[in-house]
């Protein structure tokens, strides 16, 4: 009798099919140098501390950049969140934003 384990086996993936259709990503700028970047935030957890650190790191990496503060858009959580999110695309376009950093719970 052969006690060697059978090298054939089946694998069952517990992940089910996606319920949400995949959406292609927007084109990315080749560099963030001389770009306008918006911070979008839910005003819940430490964005006021974290965003300045991100801005400093990005500026040291890419040089001349401009940042749009989350106060420009309003909170993405609670109260007027639906209005804030509905208006977000037009505000971003109107401000000439090249990239968005959604932070801390967005």
């Amino acid at each position: 009798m052969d006690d060697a384990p059978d090298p054939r086996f089946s694998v069952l993936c517990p992940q089910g099919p996606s319920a949400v259709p995949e959406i292609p990503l927007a084109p990315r700028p080749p560099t963030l140098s001389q770009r306008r970047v918006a911070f979008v935030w839910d005003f819940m957890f430490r964005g006021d501390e974290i965003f300045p650190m991100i801005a400093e790191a990005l500026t040291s990496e890419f040089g001349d950049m401009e940042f749009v503060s989350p106060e420009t858009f309003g909170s993405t959580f609670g109260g007027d969140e639906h209005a804030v999110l509905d208006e977000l695309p037009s505000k971003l376009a109107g401000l000439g934003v090249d990239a968005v950093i959604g932070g801390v719970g967005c």
Side-chain angles (χ1 to χ4, degrees):
M1 174 179 236
D2 184 41
D3 289 316
D6 187 345
R8 296 170 291 151
F9 58 90
S10 298
V11 176
L12 175 65
C13 178
Q15 181 180 7
S18 178
V20 180
E22 209 172 295
I23 299 171
L25 296 174
R28 303 304 194 241
T31 180
L32 292 177
S33 180
Q34 299 182 340
R35 301 293 179 159
R36 179 176 282 183
V37 177
F39 292 120
V40 177
W41 180 35
D42 62 6
F43 291 81
M44 295 294 292
F45 180 77
R46 299 183 64 192
D48 54 333
E49 298 172 41
I50 295 168
F51 286 138
M53 290 188 277
I54 293 171
E56 182 179 339
L58 288 173
T59 301
S60 70
E61 175 77 21
F62 296 105
D64 185 28
M65 296 178 69
E66 185 178 346
F67 298 96
V68 181
S69 76
E71 289 80 14
T72 304
F73 308 102
S75 175
T76 59
F77 177 77
D80 296 330
E81 67 188 69
H82 295 288
V84 168
L85 294 173
D86 287 344
E87 295 170 0
L88 190 58
S90 62
K91 280 189 176 181
L92 293 169
L95 292 166
V97 170
D98 299 297
V100 175
I101 297 174
V104 197
C106 287

